[in-house]
């Protein structure tokens, strides 16, 4: 009987061609066993569906205390679900047996969205014209074979696979993801392609954008430092301002302490933003784990290690989370300024000048991929945050040009 495969039959098979009674009896027994097994599986699926649909509503997690008795039935319910889910088919297949899976039907979203420039700006942070120019510059690179999962040797010559979406729509979905940070399933429904292709294009195109825009963030030259000197009259030698901003992430399963800080009460990654008096980002360092304070991250940055060339007279404004290390200019503490009118006034002016970095961070946070809870790989967040800093500089420069004109 080895090597025999059994299939689900619509009607009993014709076994009259078998001459050996013993072999005929064995096959009939196996067929009966197979039919009974199939009926048992179908019955188990129906019972599992009934159990899932009949599970009572879970109590709200935010009202359950550690010593609350409600946690016991909640945990038992969780164990029950864990026993059901592995042995059952997709619940959507059981709920909607006659509804087939959606096939890829690509849509030309750019064609429709570009007709509404204001909505296009809200969705992408670009105008249709600037987006077309960007597409012309990057179209050939986008057409290159994707290797985001590193299945092929780096630099290997391969023929590009066909893609259902045009290059301009592939670029558009990445900008919508950066600006609005929707789920991959929402992007899949919007553009009419599968989730895997969406994810691959994001990891394929974001590094290209970072490389393309990397010159948007440039450290000042010595001549530029001389031009910036005196921009803040009360702090003549201060030419830059620095501050940190957080990007919340999912609580990691391993190494939670490295991402958690008590005063923030969440897990996060941190970026250090250094701007000039005009609000232009001059240095952006990303990917710091959240367990250290701003001063600790500053000491590990290139700015704190004095690896960036600066004139001997140059100073950097920072808030009370830093301390004076010879380069930073920090406000007087409350105890030091109490009762001293001059120091209180200097603190007010210091706060006013330093707010330029906070306004720049606000422009960065217009991109929801850095302001909302980060749901992707943590190693990818630093690349995205740096790209967003470059895009924020473009927007700040554009705003300054429009005001000047």
């Amino acid at each position: 009987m080895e090597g025999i495969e059994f299939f689900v039959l619509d009607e009993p098979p014709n076994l009259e061609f078998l001459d050996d009674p013993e072999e005929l009896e064995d096959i009939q027994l196996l067929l009966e066993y197979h039919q009974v097994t199939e009926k048992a599986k179908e019955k188990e699926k129906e019972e599992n569906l009934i159990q899932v649909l009949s599970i009572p509503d879970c109590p709200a997690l935010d009202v359950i205390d550690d010593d609350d008795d409600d946690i016991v039935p909640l945990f038992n319910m969780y164990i029950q679900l864990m026993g059901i889910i592995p042995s059952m088919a997709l619940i959507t297949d059981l709920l909607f047996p006659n509804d087939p899976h959606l096939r890829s039907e690509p849509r030309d979203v750019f064609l429709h969205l570009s007709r509404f420039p204001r909505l296009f700006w809200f969705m992408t942070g670009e105008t249709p014209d600037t987006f077309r120019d960007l597409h012309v510059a990057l179209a050939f690179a986008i057409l290159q074979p994707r290797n985001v999962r590193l299945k092929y040797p780096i630099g290997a010559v391969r023929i590009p696979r066909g893609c259902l979406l045009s290059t301009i729509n592939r670029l558009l979905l990445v900008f919508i993801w950066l600006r609005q940070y929707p789920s991959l399933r929402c992007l899949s429904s919007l553009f009419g392609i599968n989730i895997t292709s969406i994810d691959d294009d994001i990891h394929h195109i974001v590094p290209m954008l970072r490389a393309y825009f990397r010159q948007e963030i440039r450290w000042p030259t010595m001549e530029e430092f001389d031009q910036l000197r005196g921009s803040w009259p009360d702090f003549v030698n201060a030419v830059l301002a620095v501050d940190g901003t957080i990007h919340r992430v999912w609580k990691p399963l391993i190494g939670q302490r490295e991402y958690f800080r008590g005063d923030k009460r969440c897990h996060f990654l941190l970026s250090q933003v250094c701007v000039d008096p005009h609000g232009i980002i001059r240095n952006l360092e990303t990917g710091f784990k959240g367990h250290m304070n701003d001063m600790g991250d500053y000491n590990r940055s290139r700015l704190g290690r004095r690896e960036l060339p600066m004139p001997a007279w140059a100073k950097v404004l920072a808030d009370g989370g830093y301390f004076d290390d010879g380069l930073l200019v920090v406000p007087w503490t409350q105890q030091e300024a109490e009762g001293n009118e001059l120091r209180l006034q200097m603190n007010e002016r210091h706060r006013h000048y330093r707010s330029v970095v906070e306004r720049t961070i606000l422009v960065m946070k217009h991109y929801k991929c850095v302001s909302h809870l980060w749901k992707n790989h943590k190693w990818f967040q630093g690349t995205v945050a740096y790209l967003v800093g470059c895009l924020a500089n473009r927007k700040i420069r554009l705003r300054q040009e429009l005001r000047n004109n």
Side-chain angles (χ1 to χ4, degrees):
M1 301 301 297
E2 296 182 0
I4 296 180
E5 297 181 359
F6 295 94
F7 303 90
V8 179
L9 302 176
D10 297 331
E11 58 183 14
N14 183 10
L15 302 178
E16 295 179 355
F17 64 92
L18 294 176
D19 298 330
D20 190 351
E22 294 182 359
E23 186 175 357
L24 175 62
E25 183 179 359
D26 292 340
I27 291 180
Q28 289 176 340
L29 290 174
L30 286 173
L31 286 173
E32 291 176 1
Y33 173 77
H34 181 67
Q35 292 173 355
V36 171
T37 303
E38 290 298 324
K39 291 181 180 179
K41 289 181 179 179
E42 293 294 331
K43 184 177 181 181
E44 183 182 2
K45 289 181 180 179
E46 295 176 359
E47 293 176 351
N48 288 337
L49 177 60
I50 294 174
Q51 291 181 26
V52 171
L53 297 178
S54 62
I55 289 178
D57 294 335
C58 295
L61 295 179
D62 56 350
V63 299
I64 297 178
D65 299 328
D66 292 339
D67 56 349
D68 198 335
D69 294 337
D70 291 340
I71 199 68
V72 176
L74 180 64
F75 182 75
N76 291 336
M77 193 181 305
Y78 171 78
I79 297 299
Q80 182 184 5
L81 277 173
M82 290 301 100
I84 294 173
I85 292 175
S87 62
M88 63 180 293
L90 289 176
I91 190 171
T92 52
D93 293 338
L94 299 174
L95 290 174
F96 315 108
N98 299 322
D99 187 13
H101 293 280
L102 295 177
R103 298 184 62 84
S104 295
E105 297 179 358
R107 303 183 183 93
D108 192 351
V109 179
F110 177 80
L111 178 63
H112 299 283
L113 192 59
S114 60
R115 298 172 182 171
F116 308 94
R118 187 182 296 270
L119 178 60
F120 194 95
W121 172 268
F122 174 76
M123 294 294 291
T124 65
E126 300 286 330
T127 66
D129 292 335
T130 60
F131 189 84
R132 288 188 184 96
D133 295 338
L134 182 60
H135 170 253
V136 170
L138 294 174
F140 180 76
I142 295 173
L143 281 172
Q144 299 307 303
R146 295 178 298 198
N147 192 23
V148 296
R149 304 181 191 281
L150 299 179
K151 293 193 294 185
Y152 308 98
I154 297 177
V157 178
R158 294 185 292 120
I159 299 176
R161 293 176 56 189
C163 185
L164 296 176
L165 281 183
S166 62
T167 54
I168 197 167
N169 279 286
R170 292 170 67 185
L171 185 62
L172 177 63
L173 75 85
V174 173
F175 268 87
I176 293 177
W177 179 81
L178 291 169
R179 187 71 169 79
Q180 300 297 330
Y181 201 50
S183 66
L184 298 184
R185 189 168 296 279
C186 288
L187 285 174
S188 175
S189 301
L190 177 63
F191 286 88
I193 61 175
N194 61 74
I195 293 176
T196 303
S197 296
I198 296 283
D199 185 62
D200 285 351
D201 268 336
I202 289 173
H203 287 80
H204 177 62
I205 296 175
V206 165
M208 295 180 190
L209 293 173
R210 186 191 186 282
Y212 182 80
F213 289 120
R214 67 182 183 277
Q215 294 301 323
E216 292 287 341
I217 299 179
R218 294 184 299 103
W219 186 250
T221 63
M222 292 300 175
E223 291 77 12
E224 290 175 330
F225 274 119
D226 292 334
Q227 295 172 4
L228 293 173
R229 191 176 191 180
S231 298
W232 292 317
D234 297 292
F235 302 92
V236 178
N237 291 332
V239 290
L240 298 170
V242 66
D243 201 0
T245 182
I246 69 170
H247 314 288
R248 294 179 300 131
V249 299
W250 287 113
K251 181 172 71 173
L253 297 177
I254 300 175
Q256 296 183 20
R257 292 186 177 183
E258 296 181 355
Y259 297 90
F260 185 83
R261 207 169 80 192
D263 61 326
K264 302 296 183 182
R265 302 186 65 82
C266 65
H267 298 80
F268 62 90
L269 292 167
L270 184 136
S271 297
Q272 180 177 276
V273 186
C274 186
V275 306
D276 64 17
H278 305 297
I280 301 298
I281 300 175
R282 294 296 190 165
N283 177 250
L284 176 59
E285 301 190 40
T286 62
F288 294 109
K289 296 180 180 179
H291 70 286
M292 298 190 69
N293 56 23
D294 291 348
M295 191 65 195
D297 293 326
Y298 165 80
N299 289 331
R300 294 189 298 169
S301 68
R302 296 182 64 197
L303 180 63
R305 297 198 303 266
R306 307 296 198 277
E307 295 179 0
L308 299 173
M310 296 181 65
W313 49 263
K315 300 294 181 180
V316 179
L317 297 184
D319 61 23
Y322 299 82
F323 61 83
D324 186 359
D325 66 340
L327 175 63
L328 301 178
V329 178
V330 298
W332 301 97
T333 64
Q334 183 177 358
Q335 293 77 12
E336 294 171 339
E338 186 175 3
N340 190 321
E341 189 64 25
L342 178 59
R343 290 184 175 181
L344 291 174
Q345 292 179 1
M346 292 299 291
N347 277 359
E348 286 293 329
R349 295 170 184 172
H350 186 283
R351 185 181 303 110
H352 172 69
Y353 296 143
R354 194 184 68 244
S355 64
V356 65
V357 66
E358 297 172 357
R359 292 194 294 271
T360 298
I361 291 175
L362 178 61
V363 176
M364 290 181 60
K365 293 302 180 75
H366 289 168
Y367 290 85
K368 296 180 181 179
C369 61
V370 295
S371 61
H372 287 193
L373 179 67
W374 179 254
K375 303 173 184 177
N376 298 74
H377 300 292
K378 294 179 179 60
W379 58 263
F380 192 50
Q381 198 279 331
T383 301
V384 172
Y386 193 90
L387 170 59
V388 167
C390 297
L391 297 175
N393 266 3
R394 291 183 75 226
K395 185 177 292 187
I396 293 171
R397 290 192 175 100
L398 175 62
R399 182 183 300 172
Q400 293 175 352
E401 292 176 3
L402 294 175
R403 287 178 176 176
N404 294 335
N405 295 333

